[in-house]
mmCIF file with all atom_site columns, all heavy atoms in Angstrom:
data_model
loop_
_atom_site.group_PDB
_atom_site.id
_atom_site.type_symbol
_atom_site.label_atom_id
_atom_site.label_alt_id
_atom_site.label_comp_id
_atom_site.label_asym_id
_atom_site.label_entity_id
_atom_site.label_seq_id
_atom_site.pdbx_PDB_ins_code
_atom_site.Cartn_x
_atom_site.Cartn_y
_atom_site.Cartn_z
_atom_site.occupancy
_atom_site.B_iso_or_equiv
_atom_site.pdbx_formal_charge
_atom_site.auth_seq_id
_atom_site.auth_comp_id
_atom_site.auth_asym_id
_atom_site.auth_atom_id
_atom_site.pdbx_PDB_model_num
ATOM 1  N N   . TYR A 1 12 ? 88.692 85.124  98.934  1.00 0.00 ? 12 TYR A N   1
ATOM 2  C CA  . TYR A 1 12 ? 88.061 86.068  100.015 1.00 0.00 ? 12 TYR A CA  1
ATOM 3  C C   . TYR A 1 12 ? 86.521 85.560  100.162 1.00 0.00 ? 12 TYR A C   1
ATOM 4  O O   . TYR A 1 12 ? 86.167 85.397  101.340 1.00 0.00 ? 12 TYR A O   1
ATOM 5  C CB  . TYR A 1 12 ? 87.962 87.482  99.383  1.00 0.00 ? 12 TYR A CB  1
ATOM 6  C CG  . TYR A 1 12 ? 87.112 88.381  100.142 1.00 0.00 ? 12 TYR A CG  1
ATOM 7  C CD1 . TYR A 1 12 ? 87.582 89.062  101.229 1.00 0.00 ? 12 TYR A CD1 1
ATOM 8  C CD2 . TYR A 1 12 ? 85.777 88.679  99.750  1.00 0.00 ? 12 TYR A CD2 1
ATOM 9  C CE1 . TYR A 1 12 ? 86.769 89.916  101.967 1.00 0.00 ? 12 TYR A CE1 1
ATOM 10 C CE2 . TYR A 1 12 ? 84.978 89.490  100.600 1.00 0.00 ? 12 TYR A CE2 1
ATOM 11 C CZ  . TYR A 1 12 ? 85.502 90.153  101.631 1.00 0.00 ? 12 TYR A CZ  1
ATOM 12 O OH  . TYR A 1 12 ? 84.672 91.103  102.233 1.00 0.00 ? 12 TYR A OH  1
ATOM 13 N N   . ARG A 1 22 ? 88.730 72.433  99.908  1.00 0.00 ? 22 ARG A N   1
ATOM 14 C CA  . ARG A 1 22 ? 88.201 71.076  99.674  1.00 0.00 ? 22 ARG A CA  1
ATOM 15 C C   . ARG A 1 22 ? 86.682 71.170  99.430  1.00 0.00 ? 22 ARG A C   1
ATOM 16 O O   . ARG A 1 22 ? 86.202 70.604  98.442  1.00 0.00 ? 22 ARG A O   1
ATOM 17 C CB  . ARG A 1 22 ? 88.619 70.067  100.630 1.00 0.00 ? 22 ARG A CB  1
ATOM 18 C CG  . ARG A 1 22 ? 88.285 68.610  100.312 1.00 0.00 ? 22 ARG A CG  1
ATOM 19 C CD  . ARG A 1 22 ? 88.727 67.741  101.361 1.00 0.00 ? 22 ARG A CD  1
ATOM 20 N NE  . ARG A 1 22 ? 88.605 66.395  101.005 1.00 0.00 ? 22 ARG A NE  1
ATOM 21 C CZ  . ARG A 1 22 ? 87.462 65.674  100.959 1.00 0.00 ? 22 ARG A CZ  1
ATOM 22 N NH1 . ARG A 1 22 ? 86.344 66.130  101.311 1.00 0.00 ? 22 ARG A NH1 1
ATOM 23 N NH2 . ARG A 1 22 ? 87.498 64.390  100.565 1.00 0.00 ? 22 ARG A NH2 1
ATOM 24 N N   . LYS A 1 48 ? 82.927 79.730  83.264  1.00 0.00 ? 48 LYS A N   1
ATOM 25 C CA  . LYS A 1 48 ? 81.947 78.776  83.833  1.00 0.00 ? 48 LYS A CA  1
ATOM 26 C C   . LYS A 1 48 ? 82.286 78.377  85.234  1.00 0.00 ? 48 LYS A C   1
ATOM 27 O O   . LYS A 1 48 ? 81.427 78.391  86.087  1.00 0.00 ? 48 LYS A O   1
ATOM 28 C CB  . LYS A 1 48 ? 81.972 77.540  82.935  1.00 0.00 ? 48 LYS A CB  1
ATOM 29 C CG  . LYS A 1 48 ? 80.923 76.508  83.421  1.00 0.00 ? 48 LYS A CG  1
ATOM 30 C CD  . LYS A 1 48 ? 80.922 75.224  82.455  1.00 0.00 ? 48 LYS A CD  1
ATOM 31 C CE  . LYS A 1 48 ? 80.025 74.260  82.791  1.00 0.00 ? 48 LYS A CE  1
ATOM 32 N NZ  . LYS A 1 48 ? 80.487 73.267  83.747  1.00 0.00 ? 48 LYS A NZ  1
ATOM 33 N N   . ILE A 1 53 ? 81.636 78.951  91.125  1.00 0.00 ? 53 ILE A N   1
ATOM 34 C CA  . ILE A 1 53 ? 82.141 79.335  92.506  1.00 0.00 ? 53 ILE A CA  1
ATOM 35 C C   . ILE A 1 53 ? 81.296 80.431  93.183  1.00 0.00 ? 53 ILE A C   1
ATOM 36 O O   . ILE A 1 53 ? 80.921 80.454  94.342  1.00 0.00 ? 53 ILE A O   1
ATOM 37 C CB  . ILE A 1 53 ? 83.584 79.825  92.346  1.00 0.00 ? 53 ILE A CB  1
ATOM 38 C CG1 . ILE A 1 53 ? 84.507 78.566  92.014  1.00 0.00 ? 53 ILE A CG1 1
ATOM 39 C CG2 . ILE A 1 53 ? 84.150 80.547  93.581  1.00 0.00 ? 53 ILE A CG2 1
ATOM 40 C CD1 . ILE A 1 53 ? 85.927 78.961  91.576  1.00 0.00 ? 53 ILE A CD1 1
ATOM 41 N N   . LEU A 1 93 ? 70.812 116.830 95.244  1.00 0.00 ? 93 LEU A N   1
ATOM 42 C CA  . LEU A 1 93 ? 71.861 115.953 95.856  1.00 0.00 ? 93 LEU A CA  1
ATOM 43 C C   . LEU A 1 93 ? 73.137 116.067 94.942  1.00 0.00 ? 93 LEU A C   1
ATOM 44 O O   . LEU A 1 93 ? 74.314 116.201 95.493  1.00 0.00 ? 93 LEU A O   1
ATOM 45 C CB  . LEU A 1 93 ? 71.428 114.506 95.918  1.00 0.00 ? 93 LEU A CB  1
ATOM 46 C CG  . LEU A 1 93 ? 72.478 113.494 96.457  1.00 0.00 ? 93 LEU A CG  1
ATOM 47 C CD1 . LEU A 1 93 ? 72.916 113.873 97.849  1.00 0.00 ? 93 LEU A CD1 1
ATOM 48 C CD2 . LEU A 1 93 ? 71.925 112.090 96.502  1.00 0.00 ? 93 LEU A CD2 1
ATOM 49 N N   . LYS A 1 94 ? 72.993 116.024 93.720  1.00 0.00 ? 94 LYS A N   1
ATOM 50 C CA  . LYS A 1 94 ? 74.131 116.194 92.768  1.00 0.00 ? 94 LYS A CA  1
ATOM 51 C C   . LYS A 1 94 ? 74.880 117.543 92.986  1.00 0.00 ? 94 LYS A C   1
ATOM 52 O O   . LYS A 1 94 ? 75.991 117.566 93.026  1.00 0.00 ? 94 LYS A O   1
ATOM 53 C CB  . LYS A 1 94 ? 73.672 116.016 91.296  1.00 0.00 ? 94 LYS A CB  1
ATOM 54 C CG  . LYS A 1 94 ? 74.785 116.133 90.345  1.00 0.00 ? 94 LYS A CG  1
ATOM 55 C CD  . LYS A 1 94 ? 74.323 116.047 88.925  1.00 0.00 ? 94 LYS A CD  1
ATOM 56 C CE  . LYS A 1 94 ? 75.375 116.362 87.986  1.00 0.00 ? 94 LYS A CE  1
ATOM 57 N NZ  . LYS A 1 94 ? 75.001 116.512 86.632  1.00 0.00 ? 94 LYS A NZ  1
#
Side-chain angles (χ1 to χ4, degrees):
Y12 173 85
R22 183 178 193 282
K48 179 180 183 271
I53 291 169
L93 179 60
K94 180 182 174 195

